[in-house]
Amino acid sequence: MLKQKKTSKIIQSILFPLVLLSVTACGQQGAAPASNQPAAPATETSASAPSTETKQLTIGISQFVEHPALDAAREGFIKQLAKNGFEDGKQVKIDVKSAQASMDTAISIAQKFEADKVDLVLAIATPTAQAAAQTSKEIPILFTAVTDPVEAGLVKAMDKPGANVTGTSDMNPVEEQLKLIKELKADAKSVGVIYSSGEVNSKVQVDAAKAVADKLGLTIREAAITSATEVKQAAESMVGKVDAFYVPTDNMVVSSIAAVLGVAESQKIPVIAGEENSVKSGAIATYGIDYTKLGEQTADMATKILKGEAKPADMAVEMQADMKLVLNKKAAEKMGVTIPQAMLDRAGEVVE
């Protein structure tokens, strides 16, 4: 046994240098001397290698209530974003929520977007914009369909918002819209305005109407509501007291405009609206903005933010320059009004 161990040690002492020499020779075969070439860096595994794929961004959309004007703004925004290279399901994931005309729900939606750390928020209408602005101080927030963002406390100034919030305004040319009443019914003296007492944008429009009414020979009669269920009763309370209805871009009233139209048609009282979708729904006329285009305009602003080309604080609030006259001939017939040919001739769109 002792002899075998001794023999084994002798063999190992002979073979080990030979094995070492062989390994060294194989490692140097075809390679440049170590002094002339630095060692190659270790290859990273796929798990640790940096990704070349662009991160999918998330956009949260909070809409105060569903009605044609706000829906058009949302759809215009999403379609224009896709044209600009931010398509839902590809470059971005868009999460759409409706507050169903509830401020409490609007706040809950804003809190969810804040918790989810979305990359951008689009708030459609004044109440949801206020909820988003109060909740998120870092996330870029764009609003649309907001009448007076300064009065609503969303921005410091129209040309220099100053924080993380900016967007597009749907401020109406109220005076031009009220002039339509005199064209349709020259002897009109009083105009009924139904609006939500809880919406800042609506109060702004009512004040604007009252400011120009005197020089147009009109008197404004107000009816404030607190819920959509009160719209019909408010319209009925004005029968015999007003010669026409003016429906501003009040989200609660517009979402229940059928109630106003029902009263107006039965009593032959013409209805002038603050935006074109209400005309397509049955009002006689408006002179105003296109909400689809307003959404598209907002998407162009969002594109600059998502690309890192601009920050909300430095982006002026935008308004739509192009206004158009929209008329509804069938609605006029139902309300006992004949639209003058001069109005038809200059209309940008006539609903037959």
Side-chain angles (χ1 to χ4, degrees), residues 93-107:
K93 177 184 177 183
I94 299 178
D95 186 6
V96 179
K97 304 290 185 186
S98 172
Q100 300 297 325
S102 166
M103 194 61 188
D104 288 340
T105 304
I107 293 171

Side-chain angles (χ1 to χ4, degrees), residues 80-87 90-92 303 307:
Q80 185 67 17
L81 261 188
K83 287 182 181 179
N84 292 347
F86 293 95
E87 186 176 350
K90 293 185 179 180
Q91 296 85 3
V92 295
T303 299
K307 288 184 175 180

Side-chain angles (χ1 to χ4, degrees), residues 180 284-287 323-329 339-352:
L180 297 177
I284 296 177
T286 191
Y287 179 73
M323 304 281 180
K324 70 176 180 178
L325 175 62
V326 182
L327 303 171
N328 188 324
K329 291 178 73 174
I339 300 176
Q341 189 58 47
M343 289 184 74
L344 292 169
D345 290 343
R346 73 174 194 273
E349 183 177 356
V350 177
V351 181
E352 298 289 346

